[in-house]
Amino acid sequence: KLQFLYFIGNMNAFVYMTLAAAVQGGIFPHPLVYQEHGSAAAVGSKFSFADAAAELSSERLLGSAQRYDVHVGGKLRAEEGAMRVTFAVATDDETVSAKTDYSYEVRIEGNVVAISAQSIYGAMYAMESVTQLITTDGTLPLAYIKDAPQYAWRGLMIDSGRRFFPVATVQNLLDTMSYLKMNVLHLHASDYCRFGVESKKYPNLTNALTGILGGYYTQEDVAGIIKYASDRGIRVVPEFDVPGHSRGFLPLESQGIEFCTDASDRCQLYNDPANSTYNILTDLFTEMSSLFPDEVFNIGSDETSAKGRCTVQSTFEIERALVTFVQEKPWWPCRMVPLLVQYLVHSALRAA
């Protein structure tokens, strides 16, 4: 397991370096506009993103600038050259959401690297592009760059519902995602094997995890992962998969949650007439939602079937009831657009 995680961490860096080196201008993803004009110029050993960012009032942008200064520090060998950075950011809204504007422009002219962006996250993308352009001998091409993401959802998924990924590994992945200008970490937190996030209301969900299924994220871990991601312009979207893929809920049988069958491999939840399963799920989801501020909260609803006490209709009803529960709670911070699409597709397939 440790060897596998070490392999994943190193593969992240390898993929990033390989892709960045393979594109025109050395920028990956390739920007909408990249135009060079004139010869490359020496950056100079005093080049600093952080000095420019310090003139703004954003601690988050300053932290990112300081990280990029570390990245470029080893390249700045030339004493000659006095390039400096300027920032122009249109909004001070630092919310990371589906509406976040990541667009940016960079003008490298004379001794100035002028970065303009609608948000600090666009400014971060600009710093990434400039960092990729700086050569190993400390020069930077005079150029104009204009870019904006083509897709609002540029994500990767961690399947912690099957295996635990240590926080350090998640942070490594978030760093790599930021280098590639990705913006959504889909945290698949429960599945057939396990429930991977601490619940204060139902602590036995994670207390029962041992051996190869061991490990979970404490609520403090979740807060730390979300902050680490947000500092890099990345959303964390949780998924708690029900009513199928729900073997991780087995520890809650003693508290009233019910399954379709009593088989040893039971993994689909039953919509019992007394609403015990529904009540536990809504109580748990309310707690989990308080941990994840993103506007998307995914409840899966995939790969269910008629088995044992569960009919197509009873399964459909609990899925629909959970969607309605979320939609009708004005205090709930989440919308469920991806879930609704998935839910409707599966409903149509059942009907067919």
Side-chain angles (χ1 to χ4, degrees):
K1 184 177 180 180
L2 291 177
Q3 288 179 336
F4 171 74
L5 295 176
Y6 177 79
F7 169 76
I8 290 296
N10 282 278
M11 277 300 294
N12 287 339
F14 172 76
V15 170
Y16 158 64
M17 290 186 292
T18 301
L19 292 175
V23 297
Q24 181 182 353
I27 299 176
F28 185 87
H30 189 62
L32 296 173
V33 178
Y34 178 78
Q35 300 169 344
E36 290 189 7
H37 49 268
S39 304
V43 174
S45 59
K46 295 183 179 180
F47 179 89
S48 173
F49 291 115
D51 288 350
E55 298 178 7
L56 304 180
S57 58
S58 172
E59 291 296 321
R60 182 165 283 179
L61 180 62
L62 177 59
S64 178
Q66 290 169 338
R67 290 192 296 273
Y68 277 108
D69 278 353
V70 173
H71 290 318
V72 302
K75 301 178 180 181
L76 306 182
R77 302 169 185 169
E79 290 300 328
E80 72 275 8
M83 277 199 177
R84 61 187 180 87
V85 180
T86 65
F87 285 104
V89 179
T91 177
D92 59 2
D93 183 1
E94 298 188 359
T95 305
V96 184
S97 74
K99 296 181 179 180
T100 297
D101 191 330
Y102 294 87
S103 63
Y104 69 90
E105 291 184 66
V106 178
R107 288 179 170 84
I108 307 171
E109 299 175 339
N111 66 340
V112 177
V113 178
I115 293 172
S116 59
Q118 291 300 306
S119 71
I120 64 166
Y121 305 109
M124 291 179 189
Y125 282 15
M127 287 190 286
E128 175 60 36
S129 293
V130 172
T131 298
Q132 292 181 14
L133 282 179
I134 298 176
T135 63
T136 56
D137 61 355
T139 63
L140 188 61
L142 302 182
Y144 171 68
I145 309 164
K146 182 177 181 179
D147 200 14
Q150 184 176 0
Y151 301 102
W153 185 292
R154 307 177 302 284
L156 292 177
M157 183 183 78
I158 289 180
D159 191 357
S160 60
R162 288 182 171 84
R163 293 289 183 272
F164 176 66
F165 290 77
V167 172
T169 302
V170 177
Q171 291 174 338
N172 175 277
L173 181 61
L174 289 167
D175 284 334
T176 305
M177 290 174 65
S178 71
Y179 304 151
L180 299 175
K181 302 184 177 81
M182 303 182 79
N183 74 325
V184 180
L185 178 67
H186 176 178
L187 185 64
H188 187 66
S190 75
D191 206 284
Y192 180 86
C193 300
R194 38 180 271 121
F195 191 96
V197 174
E198 175 193 27
S199 168
K200 303 287 189 182
K201 292 185 175 183
Y202 302 96
N204 50 333
L205 275 171
T206 50
N207 289 345
L209 298 176
T210 59
I212 195 171
L213 300 182
Y216 61 90
Y217 301 114
T218 66
Q219 296 193 1
E220 291 74 19
D221 288 338
V222 170
I225 288 171
I226 291 172
K227 181 182 185 305
Y228 196 93
S230 297
D231 285 346
R232 289 151 180 79
I234 298 172
R235 301 159 54 195
V236 179
V237 174
E239 178 183 354
F240 298 94
D241 203 351
V242 294
H245 291 247
S246 295
R247 189 169 172 76
F249 289 88
L250 274 176
L252 300 188
E253 277 190 307
S254 62
Q255 293 174 257
I257 208 164
E258 296 190 32
F259 287 79
C260 298
T261 72
D262 296 323
S264 60
D265 62 348
R266 57 194 180 278
C267 65
Q268 184 173 321
L269 298 176
Y270 172 52
N271 185 25
D272 63 286
N275 285 329
S276 295
T277 298
Y278 172 82
N279 291 336
I280 290 175
L281 289 179
T282 53
D283 190 33
L284 180 62
F285 285 174
T286 299
E287 180 187 15
M288 292 297 104
S289 178
S290 70
L291 305 179
F292 294 91
D294 196 82
E295 65 259 53
V296 175
F297 187 96
N298 193 326
I299 64 168
S301 300
D302 62 313
E303 295 188 331
T304 55
S305 62
K307 62 176 71 175
R309 296 177 290 175
C310 294
T311 64
V312 170
Q313 184 62 26
S314 69
T315 301
F316 178 83
E317 286 174 353
I318 194 169
E319 292 172 348
R320 181 169 53 190
L322 290 169
V323 172
T324 302
F325 171 78
V326 173
Q327 290 178 315
E328 293 183 349
K329 297 297 180 182
W331 43 261
W332 192 288
C334 302
R335 294 179 300 135
M336 297 169 61
V337 177
L339 164 65
L340 289 173
V341 173
Q342 182 169 301
Y343 168 74
L344 291 172
V345 168
H346 281 280
S347 297
L349 289 175
R350 289 195 192 100

